[in-house]
Amino acid sequence: MIRRLRTDIQIRFIFFGVLLVTSSLLMTLDRVGFLRPVEQIITTLTSPIEQGAYNLGRNFSDLSAFLKDLNTLKAENNQLRQELQTVREERAKAADLASQLLELEKELAFKSNPENKRFQTVSADVINRDLTGNNQAIQINKGSNDNITKGMPVVDVSGFLVGRVEKVETKRSTILLITDTGMAANVYNKRFGQNGKQITIDKNADGTAVGQWQRGGRITIFRISKDADIKPGDYIFTDGKGATFPADILVGFVTDVVTSDSAPDKEAVLAPSSDIERIQRVQVILGTNETN
């Protein structure tokens, strides 16, 4: 046991001695420059690793900054989209208000016109429309509660003919438009010069205007005498015959006149004065004041 202990102590002294001698030798070799080539070799070998580690750290830093900037850009982009949507909604509201204001101005002008004092009217908004080939009709938000009855004439806010009441409910009504094939009105023509003054026509064209469905809406006048004076640009008004529509309501203007040697009469094609496809507000004629 004592011998083994002595052996361990001797081994430790030898180890420390070797370590001390090695350290002294390395310090001496470094002092005289003997280890510089080794240091250079080690530096050459480890330099790319150190540079790679540095670049990797910098790339991670750049990537982190990029991701942060990307998140910022996404947030700013979302905010800009929301602001753009808000601007679009505000513009749409402004356009809608401008359109409503224009409609009200036209309605006021119509009611302020002395010639229209003869009419008793109720104003209504269009709440639905059916402009397919089989139907040319709109629905309004007024009905029997507002004294509306079937057959009443309907004009737009400017006083142009729109159609007649076809169906009545308590709070809504269906209006058959003048472009529907089931609609007819007795009409005559007027002509105006460039100065807006009416031109006398020797023989006015009397006929029956019937709806003719196609895009934009068209109306055809049938049974026009061949010697009647009618041509494109003439304005067509109701003549008051038949008690369906009051007289002198503007229907539209002539776009074409069709004649045929084999036909006893001629026809005229009209474009309605009222913007049927975009109409938003109408006036139902409840009656007339004959004394005014």
Side-chain angles (χ1 to χ4, degrees):
M1 184 71 180
I2 296 175
R3 185 180 298 177
R4 184 179 298 175
L5 181 59
R6 287 178 180 177
T7 302
D8 291 340
I9 294 173
Q10 290 174 356
I11 292 173
R12 291 182 181 180
F13 272 111
I14 293 172
F15 174 77
F16 284 116
V18 172
L19 183 61
L20 181 59
V21 172
T22 302
S23 300
S24 300
L25 179 61
L26 290 174
M27 292 176 62
T28 303
L29 291 175
D30 183 59
R31 199 176 291 119
V32 299
F34 182 79
L35 293 179
R36 288 180 183 175
V38 178
E39 291 176 352
Q40 291 177 355
I41 293 173
I42 295 174
T43 301
T44 302
L45 293 174
T46 59
S47 179
I49 299 175
E50 293 177 353
Q51 185 65 36
Y54 171 76
N55 291 336
L56 182 61
R58 187 175 62 179
N59 289 338
F60 274 118
S61 178
D62 293 343
L63 178 61
S64 177
F66 171 76
L67 293 176
K68 182 178 180 181
D69 292 341
L70 182 61
N71 290 332
T72 301
L73 288 174
K74 286 182 178 180
E76 292 177 351
N77 188 35
N78 290 334
Q79 182 178 356
L80 289 174
R81 286 183 178 179
Q82 292 176 359
E83 292 176 356
L84 179 60
Q85 182 64 26
T86 300
V87 170
R88 287 176 175 173
E89 291 175 355
E90 290 177 350
R91 286 184 177 179
K93 290 179 181 179
D96 185 56
L97 289 174
S99 177
Q100 292 180 26
L101 178 60
L102 181 60
E103 294 282 290
L104 292 174
E105 289 177 348
K106 290 179 179 179
E107 185 176 341
L108 179 61
F110 170 83
K111 292 182 177 180
S112 300
N113 189 334
E115 295 182 2
N116 297 324
K117 295 292 185 181
R118 59 186 173 130
F119 295 131
Q120 302 170 14
T121 63
V122 59
S123 299
D125 294 323
V126 176
I127 56 176
N128 197 5
R129 63 190 73 217
D130 185 358
L131 303 180
T132 64
N134 297 325
N135 298 284
Q136 292 279 288
I138 58 175
Q139 279 191 335
I140 60 175
N141 62 345
K142 297 291 177 66
S144 58
N145 287 352
D146 304 281
N147 299 319
I148 294 176
T149 59
K150 182 178 179 179
M152 286 182 170
V154 181
V155 297
D156 64 14
V157 292
S158 297
F160 305 149
L161 187 63
V162 169
R164 70 165 185 265
V165 178
E166 182 68 13
K167 181 181 178 182
V168 182
E169 301 175 40
T170 56
K171 296 182 179 180
R172 67 174 61 191
S173 301
T174 300
I175 311 301
L176 192 65
L177 301 175
I178 56 174
T179 50
D180 189 277
T181 54
M183 175 66 69
N186 296 316
V187 295
Y188 74 99
N189 66 323
K190 285 184 181 181
R191 189 172 301 155
F192 298 89
Q194 294 182 351
N195 57 3
K197 292 185 178 181
Q198 184 175 342
I199 298 175
T200 302
I201 299 176
D202 293 335
K203 184 173 177 56
N204 293 87
D206 295 321
T208 301
V210 178
Q212 182 185 45
W213 183 88
Q214 55 180 283
R215 185 167 181 79
R218 288 292 182 272
I219 305 166
T220 300
I221 305 177
F222 297 97
R223 297 194 296 272
I224 302 175
S225 174
K226 277 197 171 182
D227 61 349
D229 185 5
I230 184 172
K231 62 182 182 180
D234 285 358
Y235 287 85
I236 303 300
F237 293 82
T238 56
D239 64 6
K241 298 177 182 178
T244 303
F245 300 103
D248 302 320
I249 297 178
L250 181 61
V251 179
F253 58 92
V254 179
T255 59
D256 191 22
V257 177
V258 181
T259 59
S260 175
D261 294 336
S262 60
D265 303 318
K266 57 185 176 183
E267 300 175 358
V269 179
L270 311 182
S273 295
S274 182
D275 191 353
I276 298 297
E277 290 187 345
R278 298 179 179 83
I279 192 169
Q280 298 179 1
R281 191 171 173 83
V282 299
Q283 300 179 93
V284 181
I285 298 177
L286 303 178
T288 57
N289 301 314
E290 298 297 341
T291 56
N292 290 347

